[in-house]
Short mmCIF file of all heavy atoms in Angstrom, two decimals:
data_model
loop_
_atom_site.label_atom_id
_atom_site.label_comp_id
_atom_site.label_asym_id
_atom_site.label_seq_id
_atom_site.Cartn_x
_atom_site.Cartn_y
_atom_site.Cartn_z
N LYS A 276 2.28 11.93 -8.97
CA LYS A 276 2.92 13.33 -8.62
C LYS A 276 4.03 13.16 -7.62
O LYS A 276 5.11 13.78 -7.69
CB LYS A 276 1.86 14.29 -8.02
CG LYS A 276 0.85 14.77 -9.04
CD LYS A 276 -0.18 15.63 -8.37
CE LYS A 276 -1.38 15.88 -9.29
NZ LYS A 276 -1.25 17.09 -10.11
N ILE A 277 3.83 12.28 -6.58
CA ILE A 277 4.87 11.98 -5.62
C ILE A 277 6.07 11.40 -6.21
O ILE A 277 7.23 11.80 -5.88
CB ILE A 277 4.29 11.20 -4.36
CG1 ILE A 277 3.28 11.96 -3.54
CG2 ILE A 277 5.42 10.63 -3.52
CD1 ILE A 277 2.50 11.14 -2.58
N VAL A 278 5.92 10.39 -7.11
CA VAL A 278 7.03 9.81 -7.76
C VAL A 278 7.75 10.80 -8.60
O VAL A 278 9.03 10.86 -8.57
CB VAL A 278 6.52 8.64 -8.68
CG1 VAL A 278 7.63 8.08 -9.52
CG2 VAL A 278 5.97 7.51 -7.81
N GLY A 279 7.11 11.69 -9.26
CA GLY A 279 7.74 12.72 -10.02
C GLY A 279 8.53 13.69 -9.21
O GLY A 279 9.76 14.00 -9.48
N LEU A 280 7.95 14.10 -8.06
CA LEU A 280 8.66 14.95 -7.12
C LEU A 280 9.94 14.26 -6.61
O LEU A 280 11.04 14.96 -6.65
CB LEU A 280 7.73 15.23 -5.93
CG LEU A 280 8.40 15.88 -4.70
CD1 LEU A 280 8.74 17.41 -4.98
CD2 LEU A 280 7.40 15.84 -3.53
N CYS A 281 9.84 12.99 -6.27
CA CYS A 281 10.98 12.28 -5.72
C CYS A 281 12.01 12.05 -6.80
O CYS A 281 13.24 12.11 -6.58
CB CYS A 281 10.56 10.98 -5.06
SG CYS A 281 9.62 11.23 -3.61
N GLU A 282 11.52 11.70 -7.98
CA GLU A 282 12.43 11.47 -9.03
C GLU A 282 13.34 12.68 -9.31
O GLU A 282 14.65 12.58 -9.53
CB GLU A 282 11.68 11.10 -10.40
CG GLU A 282 12.32 10.04 -11.19
CD GLU A 282 11.47 9.64 -12.38
OE1 GLU A 282 10.22 9.84 -12.26
OE2 GLU A 282 12.07 9.15 -13.36
N GLY A 283 12.74 13.87 -9.32
CA GLY A 283 13.49 15.12 -9.60
C GLY A 283 14.44 15.39 -8.48
O GLY A 283 15.44 16.11 -8.73
N LEU A 284 14.19 14.83 -7.28
CA LEU A 284 15.07 15.16 -6.14
C LEU A 284 16.06 14.01 -5.97
O LEU A 284 16.96 14.10 -5.10
CB LEU A 284 14.26 15.30 -4.90
CG LEU A 284 13.39 16.55 -4.79
CD1 LEU A 284 12.46 16.45 -3.64
CD2 LEU A 284 14.27 17.82 -4.71
N GLY A 285 16.01 12.97 -6.79
CA GLY A 285 16.97 11.82 -6.62
C GLY A 285 16.60 11.02 -5.39
O GLY A 285 17.44 10.46 -4.71
N ILE A 286 15.32 10.92 -5.05
CA ILE A 286 14.87 10.16 -3.86
C ILE A 286 14.17 8.84 -4.31
O ILE A 286 13.33 8.89 -5.20
CB ILE A 286 13.84 10.99 -3.02
CG1 ILE A 286 14.63 12.23 -2.41
CG2 ILE A 286 13.14 10.23 -2.07
CD1 ILE A 286 15.49 11.96 -1.30
N THR A 287 14.60 7.76 -3.73
CA THR A 287 13.97 6.42 -4.03
C THR A 287 12.52 6.46 -3.63
O THR A 287 12.20 6.82 -2.52
CB THR A 287 14.72 5.34 -3.36
OG1 THR A 287 16.07 5.32 -3.80
CG2 THR A 287 14.11 3.94 -3.63
N THR A 288 11.66 5.77 -4.46
CA THR A 288 10.29 5.52 -4.09
C THR A 288 10.04 4.03 -4.24
O THR A 288 10.49 3.38 -5.21
CB THR A 288 9.31 6.29 -5.02
OG1 THR A 288 9.71 6.19 -6.40
CG2 THR A 288 9.18 7.76 -4.67
N VAL A 289 9.28 3.53 -3.26
CA VAL A 289 8.91 2.08 -3.29
C VAL A 289 7.38 1.93 -3.10
O VAL A 289 6.77 2.73 -2.41
CB VAL A 289 9.59 1.24 -2.21
CG1 VAL A 289 11.14 1.16 -2.44
CG2 VAL A 289 9.33 1.81 -0.84
N VAL A 290 6.83 0.99 -3.93
CA VAL A 290 5.35 0.83 -3.72
C VAL A 290 5.13 0.01 -2.50
O VAL A 290 5.55 -1.19 -2.32
CB VAL A 290 4.83 0.06 -4.94
CG1 VAL A 290 3.31 -0.33 -4.74
CG2 VAL A 290 4.94 0.89 -6.22
N GLY A 291 4.48 0.67 -1.55
CA GLY A 291 4.08 -0.03 -0.23
C GLY A 291 2.72 -0.67 -0.36
O GLY A 291 1.94 -0.53 -1.29
N ASN A 292 2.36 -1.41 0.71
CA ASN A 292 1.17 -2.14 0.79
C ASN A 292 0.33 -1.74 2.09
O ASN A 292 0.98 -1.74 3.07
CB ASN A 292 1.50 -3.61 0.79
CG ASN A 292 0.26 -4.52 0.72
OD1 ASN A 292 -0.77 -4.27 1.35
ND2 ASN A 292 0.36 -5.61 -0.02
N GLN A 293 -0.89 -1.28 1.86
CA GLN A 293 -1.72 -0.91 3.05
C GLN A 293 -2.50 -2.11 3.50
O GLN A 293 -3.64 -1.85 3.84
CB GLN A 293 -2.50 0.31 2.65
CG GLN A 293 -2.82 1.12 3.82
CD GLN A 293 -3.22 2.45 3.43
OE1 GLN A 293 -2.42 3.31 3.00
NE2 GLN A 293 -4.50 2.72 3.56
N ILE A 294 -1.91 -3.33 3.50
CA ILE A 294 -2.64 -4.52 3.61
C ILE A 294 -3.79 -4.58 2.62
O ILE A 294 -4.88 -4.71 3.05
CB ILE A 294 -3.01 -4.82 5.06
CG1 ILE A 294 -2.13 -4.12 6.09
CG2 ILE A 294 -3.21 -6.29 5.44
CD1 ILE A 294 -2.56 -4.18 7.59
N ASP A 295 -3.42 -4.27 1.38
CA ASP A 295 -4.39 -4.21 0.35
C ASP A 295 -5.14 -5.48 0.17
O ASP A 295 -4.57 -6.58 0.33
CB ASP A 295 -3.72 -3.82 -0.95
CG ASP A 295 -3.00 -2.47 -0.85
OD1 ASP A 295 -3.55 -1.50 -0.31
OD2 ASP A 295 -1.83 -2.34 -1.41
N GLY A 296 -6.37 -5.35 -0.33
CA GLY A 296 -7.13 -6.52 -0.79
C GLY A 296 -6.68 -6.83 -2.21
O GLY A 296 -5.73 -6.27 -2.72
N MET A 297 -7.48 -7.69 -2.91
CA MET A 297 -7.08 -8.04 -4.30
C MET A 297 -7.21 -6.91 -5.24
O MET A 297 -6.31 -6.71 -6.06
CB MET A 297 -7.99 -9.21 -4.72
CG MET A 297 -7.75 -10.43 -3.86
SD MET A 297 -8.55 -11.92 -4.48
CE MET A 297 -8.38 -13.04 -3.08
#
Side-chain angles (χ1 to χ4, degrees):
K276 288 175 193 273
I277 289 170
V278 172
L280 169 70
C281 291
E282 218 176 335
L284 292 168
I286 292 289
T287 298
T288 43
V289 292
V290 174
N292 186 319
Q293 206 160 289
I294 330 174
D295 299 316
M297 296 188 191

